Amino acid sequence: MDEVTVRFSSGFSRDEVKNPVLIEGLPGIGHVGKLVAEHMIHELGAEKIAEIHSVWFPPQVIIGEGGVVRLANNELWFCGGERQFIFLVGDHQSTSGRGHYILADQYCTIARELGVTRLYTLGGFGVGHLVEEPRVLGAINHPSLLAEVEAAGAIVSREEPGGGIVGAAGLLLGLSAMYKIGGVCLMGETSGYLVDPKSAASLLRVLSTLIGVEVDPTRLEERGAEMEYAIQRLIEGERTTENEELRYIG
Amino acid sequence: MDEVTVRFSSGFSRDEVKNPVLIEGLPGIGHVGKLVAEHMIHELGAEKIAEIHSVWFPPQVIIGEGGVVRLANNELWFCGGERQFIFLVGDHQSTSGRGHYILADQYCTIARELGVTRLYTLGGFGVGHLVEEPRVLGAINHPSLLAEVEAAGAIVSREEPGGGIVGAAGLLLGLSAMYKIGGVCLMGETSGYLVDPKSAASLLRVLSTLIGVEVDPTRLEERGAEMEYAIQRLIEGERTTENEELRYIG
Amino acid sequence: MDEVTVRFSSGFSRDEVKNPVLIEGLPGIGHVGKLVAEHMIHELGAEKIAEIHSVWFPPQVIIGEGGVVRLANNELWFCGGERQFIFLVGDHQSTSGRGHYILADQYCTIARELGVTRLYTLGGFGVGHLVEEPRVLGAINHPSLLAEVEAAGAIVSREEPGGGIVGAAGLLLGLSAMYKIGGVCLMGETSGYLVDPKSAASLLRVLSTLIGVEVDPTRLEERGAEMEYAIQRLIEGERTTENEELRYIG
Amino acid sequence: MDEVTVRFSSGFSRDEVKNPVLIEGLPGIGHVGKLVAEHMIHELGAEKIAEIHSVWFPPQVIIGEGGVVRLANNELWFCGGERQFIFLVGDHQSTSGRGHYILADQYCTIARELGVTRLYTLGGFGVGHLVEEPRVLGAINHPSLLAEVEAAGAIVSREEPGGGIVGAAGLLLGLSAMYKIGGVCLMGETSGYLVDPKSAASLLRVLSTLIGVEVDPTRLEERGAEMEYAIQRLIEGERTTENEELRYIG
């Protein structure tokens, strides 16, 4: 069994693809990148063009509609037309450091074959507390990209995130430089404890500016507002409980 | 040394095999799958046809009759005749995620070579508490299998088990789809704390219906009743102790 | 770099080797096997004939005489003459399950190439408490070996050790059967907490009988007696301390 | 993707290299080796000649100047002239034992290709407490090196460090012997809790003598003095707090 298997859909022709932008949003901190990429797939009406399986994913199947299983995977989704996008999404990142390298290198190979001209990797940046106005951090794989990333509203600093960028979002950025593909990593500030659609909405605004395509953020913002409301009620519930306990004592 | 070695018995001829059904029952939660498969091997008089060794099994030998050791392995057992079955049983599953994939893929290759027409993978579904009437959950690798699995008494739902199916039972189901072999996973509800012949007996009833072959469940049911009796006595023993302690106090 | 590298000494000629017996004594529980093998190497005047390095050993060098380092390794020592022995000893066993298989298979390949006619693997059998008269357990890889192993004083039982035999002593025994080399595993009963020369002396008596060669156990017995004395003083020391504490209280 | 990738700078010509000495200073205990090697690179004005990437490094990018990332790597720096040095430095050592062997072997291959005549591996030797006058321990891969290492002020003993030398500093020393390259490991005594420029300065003095090149230790000594001062204030701060607590009680 090959370490990585890429199966393109029979209905997909590589001839359709012209200078696409690749956007990676695999699961990670706050699922920020995953939320953004899946939101864009939905809003832009992208179509699945490939399934990727690997011995470096967890040994697991996911149960879907009607009890039909599928192997844990990563997927490529394609959005054609004037401005083209390929989305890399999936259930899991690699389970090992070595697998991370092998998968990221495979993804760069695919990107080169499909003529990808720009790569965006999306992730979360955990700060350990709830964030009122999530910032979006940026990192790049070539100095020429700095101006446009900052102009789009991302904060670029060698101090944040302090420990570098770990996992697919980081490795794809680093390896793509060797494939001569310009890459940008955008990281939405997030607590790190919860799935964070609010941070995802912030990230989406920056990414929209960078790719020059308006993507309606309403659904992400609504989910963000719902979560804020739920968290607020949780906090108030705790306060009420504390007050009641005080009443018992007092 | 090869990662996986399959040694067929010299007495076994592949010409005997006609459209067999493959039943996997490796060790797992509550040993439900293992109990069912080994029970069927015994009841149907199957014969061992192959031993499988792998660097992905624990580095260990098992001591048998007269102190003679054998390497930890997986085995294939064959039951010929009108309706044919091959059983995949053994001491262990893989010790690593990567090994899980490599072994499951090897098993699918064997299944294709032997002309397997249908695959059943058997396992337990841990719920964390003792279960009075264990349900049997089902998952499938093709929508066309849904009706017969539900008709046989299995509950099919994308909500259960929530985290997907991990290990050999899941991977074999997912990978066999790529080998165009229809597959069904049956999972007996079980506490997850004990070897569970009662759950195995429930699972056997559903499986018997699916394969259209009556398998006497008496021995499994007896073992289940014995275990229930033993557990009951353990619980009563605890209650007695508690009562005695109360008497001391009171 | 190869996974395993075997370097035979330039002074060693395979033509010297005639039907040797291979004795494995790698580090393990109570270092029982290691003590016996190294004792025999010393008593029989064996000479080092090969060094084995592997990526599956810890990434480490050992500092020797005059500060000169050597890579962590396994070694083969040869004792020529009428009755020939090859000893497999070393600093470490493999750090991973997969490495255990790859190394054990390599050792069996060497054994076949050198015409080994019988394999003894030596180890300890941890029981969790100090043992007055350490028993020696035996396991075999062919039924024909049972009588002589029991006659030599080893206890052969499928109940002990309960969990099978893990690591090099077990795997070599299991794999050598596939190389058609008869193998015996001897395990000295030991607490599992301390290096145990007393258990090693017991094991040596059984092994001497099996190989038909008298090996003077004096040094092992002396080291065993010294350790017993040291342990005794430790225990008495504790009792004294307890008594003194009682005096303070009383 | 290859397990290890070595990319030499386009501006670098192997013809410049004549009998260089290789000095390894990768991250480790107290970062002693890393501090010395990076200090020498700075003081001697060495230039980067190669970047080394590997699946055995953590799956991570480091963010640098202007937010531009680079893959976690190891690097070779070259200092030409009469006496030539190559420095091996980097962000990380291997994440696994097997990776340690593969990388160290690769480094020895490079050393042989570049005609390296002597190898120094640098590290720290953790003793678990602050050290007033850090000693420098030495280990060698050939007996002929003992006299000069001791003459330079290193303490060579088979007792220290007791557990051998783990990681790159140890493996490079052990493996280089097989490549017929004389090697010396120098280890600066250090607490093991803090980055230790003072220990690095001690090590540098011994290394300077061995390579016969004066390297100005001022910057290392200054950093060492700053750290001592900071630690002293921390300790005094704690004492003050304790005294204040006593006053409250008293």
Side-chain angles (χ1 to χ4, degrees):
Chain A
M1 182 176 193
D2 293 332
E3 289 188 299
V4 186
T5 314
V6 184
R7 282 188 186 79
F8 280 91
S9 307
S10 56
F12 168 72
S13 159
R14 295 191 183 203
D15 301 340
E16 299 174 47
V17 186
K18 301 265 181 288
N19 308 318
V21 165
L22 179 59
I23 296 173
E24 173 271 331
L26 290 167
I29 299 166
H31 277 214
V32 176
K34 182 182 165 81
L35 286 173
V36 173
E38 292 184 350
H39 176 79
M40 291 179 77
I41 285 174
H42 183 267
E43 293 293 326
L44 299 178
E47 286 184 9
K48 188 164 76 170
I49 56 167
E51 291 186 357
I52 299 155
H53 299 106
S54 174
V55 301
W56 302 107
F57 293 144
Q60 194 178 348
V61 290
I62 283 91
I63 306 180
E65 205 60 52
V68 179
V69 304
R70 58 175 184 75
L71 288 172
N73 74 8
N74 281 189
E75 298 177 349
L76 297 177
W77 292 66
F78 177 60
C79 170
E82 190 73 33
R83 291 218 167 147
Q84 297 193 339
F85 299 98
I86 293 168
F87 297 93
L88 169 60
V89 291
D91 303 307
H92 293 283
Q93 297 203 15
S94 164
T95 55
S96 83
R98 191 177 161 206
H100 266 303
Y101 276 98
I102 290 167
L103 283 162
D105 193 61
Q106 181 69 61
Y107 295 147
C108 286
T109 303
I110 294 174
R112 186 169 54 190
E113 285 172 12
L114 296 178
V116 165
T117 54
R118 174 67 60 81
L119 169 74
Y120 292 97
T121 71
L122 314 181
F125 166 53
V127 291
H129 55 81
L130 292 177
V131 180
E132 202 58 40
E133 302 268 335
R135 295 178 301 152
V136 176
L137 302 182
I140 53 185
N141 72 1
H142 195 273
S144 62
L145 297 163
L146 180 59
E148 62 178 299
V149 171
E150 287 189 329
I155 294 156
V156 179
S157 154
R158 69 178 298 176
E159 271 70 43
E160 289 184 306
I165 310 170
V166 178
L171 272 197
L172 275 171
L173 195 62
L175 280 170
S176 57
M178 298 181 183
Y179 285 78
K180 311 286 180 207
I181 299 171
V184 175
C185 176
L186 297 175
M187 291 157 278
E189 199 175 21
T190 179
S191 71
Y193 304 137
L194 299 159
V195 171
D196 193 343
K198 189 176 170 187
S199 177
S202 295
L203 199 159
L204 180 60
R205 276 188 289 274
V206 175
L207 181 57
S208 285
T209 306
L210 278 164
I211 60 176
V213 170
E214 204 60 47
V215 182
D216 183 355
T218 312
R219 280 167 53 112
L220 274 182
E221 286 169 359
E222 281 171 6
R223 285 183 62 184
E226 281 164 23
M227 281 205 68
E228 290 234 303
Y229 180 70
I231 293 165
Q232 201 54 42
R233 281 183 45 181
L234 270 172
I235 293 169
E236 278 164 14
E238 261 178 32
R239 283 205 193 120
T240 312
T241 316
E242 277 170 17
N243 288 342
E244 279 168 1
E245 278 166 359
L246 286 171
R247 232 173 292 146
Y248 282 124
I249 294 167
Chain B
M1 181 174 194
D2 292 332
E3 289 188 299
V4 186
T5 314
V6 184
R7 282 188 186 77
F8 280 91
S9 308
S10 55
F12 168 71
S13 158
R14 296 191 182 203
D15 301 341
E16 300 175 46
V17 186
K18 301 265 182 290
N19 309 319
V21 165
L22 179 59
I23 295 173
E24 172 271 333
L26 290 167
I29 299 167
H31 277 213
V32 176
K34 182 182 166 83
L35 286 171
V36 173
E38 292 183 350
H39 176 79
M40 291 179 77
I41 285 174
H42 183 267
E43 294 292 327
L44 300 177
E47 287 184 9
K48 188 163 74 171
I49 56 166
E51 290 186 358
I52 299 154
H53 299 106
S54 174
V55 299
W56 301 108
F57 294 145
Q60 194 178 350
V61 291
I62 284 93
I63 305 180
E65 205 61 53
V68 180
V69 304
R70 59 174 183 75
L71 287 172
N73 74 9
N74 281 189
E75 298 177 349
L76 297 177
W77 292 66
F78 177 60
C79 170
E82 191 73 36
R83 291 218 168 147
Q84 298 193 338
F85 298 98
I86 294 168
F87 296 93
L88 169 60
V89 290
D91 302 307
H92 293 283
Q93 297 203 14
S94 165
T95 55
S96 83
R98 192 175 160 205
H100 266 302
Y101 276 98
I102 291 167
L103 284 162
D105 193 62
Q106 181 70 61
Y107 295 148
C108 286
T109 303
I110 295 173
R112 185 169 54 188
E113 284 171 13
L114 296 177
V116 165
T117 53
R118 173 68 59 84
L119 169 74
Y120 292 96
T121 71
L122 314 181
F125 167 53
V127 291
H129 55 80
L130 293 177
V131 180
E132 202 58 41
E133 302 267 336
R135 296 176 302 152
V136 176
L137 302 182
I140 54 185
N141 72 1
H142 196 272
S144 63
L145 297 162
L146 180 59
E148 63 177 300
V149 172
E150 287 189 330
I155 294 156
V156 180
S157 154
R158 69 178 299 175
E159 271 71 44
E160 288 185 307
I165 310 169
V166 178
L171 271 198
L172 275 170
L173 196 61
L175 280 171
S176 57
M178 298 182 183
Y179 286 76
K180 312 285 179 208
I181 299 171
V184 175
C185 177
L186 298 175
M187 291 157 279
E189 199 175 21
T190 179
S191 71
Y193 303 136
L194 300 159
V195 172
D196 193 344
K198 189 177 170 186
S199 176
S202 296
L203 199 160
L204 180 60
R205 275 188 289 274
V206 175
L207 180 57
S208 285
T209 307
L210 277 165
I211 60 176
V213 170
E214 203 60 50
V215 182
D216 183 356
T218 311
R219 280 168 51 113
L220 274 182
E221 286 169 359
E222 282 171 5
R223 286 182 63 185
E226 282 165 23
M227 279 204 67
E228 290 234 304
Y229 180 70
I231 293 166
Q232 201 54 43
R233 280 184 45 183
L234 270 172
I235 293 170
E236 279 164 12
E238 263 177 31
R239 284 206 190 118
T240 312
T241 316
E242 276 171 18
N243 287 341
E244 280 169 0
E245 281 168 357
L246 286 172
R247 232 173 293 146
Y248 283 124
I249 294 167
Chain C
M1 181 175 195
D2 292 333
E3 288 189 300
V4 186
T5 313
V6 184
R7 283 187 186 77
F8 280 91
S9 308
S10 56
F12 168 72
S13 158
R14 296 191 182 203
D15 300 342
E16 300 174 46
V17 186
K18 300 265 182 291
N19 308 320
V21 165
L22 178 59
I23 296 174
E24 172 271 331
L26 290 168
I29 300 167
H31 277 214
V32 176
K34 180 181 166 84
L35 286 171
V36 173
E38 291 183 351
H39 176 80
M40 292 178 77
I41 284 174
H42 184 265
E43 293 292 326
L44 300 177
E47 288 184 7
K48 188 164 76 171
I49 56 166
E51 290 185 359
I52 298 153
H53 299 108
S54 174
V55 300
W56 301 108
F57 293 146
Q60 193 178 352
V61 290
I62 284 91
I63 305 180
E65 205 61 53
V68 179
V69 304
R70 59 174 182 75
L71 287 172
N73 73 8
N74 282 189
E75 298 177 350
L76 296 178
W77 291 67
F78 177 60
C79 171
E82 191 71 37
R83 290 217 169 148
Q84 299 193 336
F85 298 99
I86 294 168
F87 296 93
L88 170 60
V89 292
D91 304 306
H92 293 283
Q93 297 202 14
S94 165
T95 55
S96 83
R98 191 175 161 206
H100 266 303
Y101 276 98
I102 290 167
L103 283 162
D105 193 61
Q106 181 70 61
Y107 295 147
C108 285
T109 303
I110 295 173
R112 184 169 55 188
E113 284 171 13
L114 296 177
V116 165
T117 54
R118 173 69 58 85
L119 169 73
Y120 292 97
T121 71
L122 314 180
F125 167 52
V127 293
H129 54 81
L130 293 176
V131 180
E132 203 57 43
E133 303 267 336
R135 298 176 300 152
V136 176
L137 303 182
I140 53 186
N141 72 3
H142 196 272
S144 63
L145 298 162
L146 179 59
E148 62 176 300
V149 172
E150 287 189 330
I155 295 155
V156 180
S157 153
R158 69 178 300 176
E159 269 72 42
E160 287 185 307
I165 310 169
V166 178
L171 271 198
L172 275 171
L173 196 62
L175 279 171
S176 58
M178 298 181 183
Y179 285 77
K180 311 286 179 207
I181 299 170
V184 176
C185 177
L186 297 175
M187 291 156 279
E189 199 174 20
T190 180
S191 70
Y193 305 137
L194 301 159
V195 172
D196 193 343
K198 188 177 172 186
S199 176
S202 295
L203 198 160
L204 180 60
R205 277 189 289 276
V206 175
L207 180 57
S208 285
T209 308
L210 278 164
I211 60 175
V213 169
E214 204 60 49
V215 182
D216 183 355
T218 311
R219 280 168 50 114
L220 274 182
E221 286 169 359
E222 282 171 5
R223 286 183 62 185
E226 283 165 22
M227 279 205 67
E228 291 234 305
Y229 179 70
I231 293 166
Q232 201 54 43
R233 281 184 44 183
L234 269 173
I235 293 169
E236 279 164 13
E238 262 177 33
R239 283 205 192 120
T240 312
T241 315
E242 276 170 21
N243 287 341
E244 281 169 358
E245 279 167 358
L246 285 171
R247 235 174 290 147
Y248 283 123
I249 294 167
Chain D
M1 180 173 195
D2 292 332
E3 289 188 299
V4 186
T5 313
V6 184
R7 282 187 186 79
F8 280 91
S9 308
S10 55
F12 169 72
S13 158
R14 297 192 182 201
D15 301 341
E16 301 174 45
V17 186
K18 300 263 181 292
N19 308 318
V21 165
L22 179 60
I23 295 174
E24 172 272 330
L26 290 167
I29 300 168
H31 278 214
V32 176
K34 180 182 167 82
L35 286 172
V36 174
E38 292 183 351
H39 176 78
M40 292 178 77
I41 284 173
H42 183 267
E43 294 292 327
L44 299 177
E47 287 183 9
K48 189 164 76 171
I49 56 167
E51 291 186 359
I52 299 154
H53 299 108
S54 174
V55 302
W56 302 106
F57 293 145
Q60 193 177 350
V61 290
I62 284 91
I63 306 181
E65 206 60 53
V68 179
V69 305
R70 58 173 185 74
L71 288 172
N73 73 10
N74 285 351
E75 298 177 349
L76 297 178
W77 291 67
F78 177 60
C79 170
E82 191 74 34
R83 290 219 169 148
Q84 298 193 336
F85 298 99
I86 293 167
F87 296 94
L88 169 59
V89 291
D91 304 305
H92 293 282
Q93 296 203 14
S94 163
T95 55
S96 85
R98 191 177 162 206
H100 266 304
Y101 276 98
I102 290 167
L103 283 162
D105 193 62
Q106 181 70 61
Y107 295 146
C108 286
T109 303
I110 294 173
R112 185 168 54 188
E113 285 172 12
L114 296 177
V116 165
T117 53
R118 175 68 59 82
L119 169 73
Y120 293 97
T121 70
L122 314 180
F125 167 52
V127 292
H129 55 80
L130 292 176
V131 180
E132 203 57 43
E133 303 267 336
R135 297 177 300 153
V136 176
L137 303 183
I140 52 185
N141 73 2
H142 195 272
S144 63
L145 297 163
L146 179 58
E148 60 177 301
V149 171
E150 288 188 330
I155 295 156
V156 180
S157 155
R158 70 178 298 176
E159 270 71 42
E160 288 184 307
I165 309 170
V166 178
L171 272 197
L172 275 172
L173 196 63
L175 280 170
S176 58
M178 298 180 182
Y179 285 78
K180 309 289 180 207
I181 299 171
V184 175
C185 177
L186 297 175
M187 290 156 279
E189 199 175 19
T190 179
S191 69
Y193 304 137
L194 300 159
V195 172
D196 194 342
K198 189 178 172 185
S199 177
S202 295
L203 199 159
L204 180 61
R205 276 188 289 275
V206 175
L207 181 56
S208 285
T209 307
L210 278 164
I211 60 176
V213 169
E214 205 61 48
V215 182
D216 183 355
T218 312
R219 280 167 51 112
L220 274 181
E221 286 169 359
E222 281 171 6
R223 285 183 62 184
E226 282 164 24
M227 281 205 67
E228 290 234 304
Y229 180 70
I231 293 165
Q232 201 54 42
R233 281 183 46 181
L234 270 173
I235 293 169
E236 279 164 14
E238 263 177 32
R239 282 204 192 120
T240 312
T241 316
E242 275 170 20
N243 287 342
E244 279 169 0
E245 279 166 0
L246 286 171
R247 235 174 291 146
Y248 283 124
I249 294 167

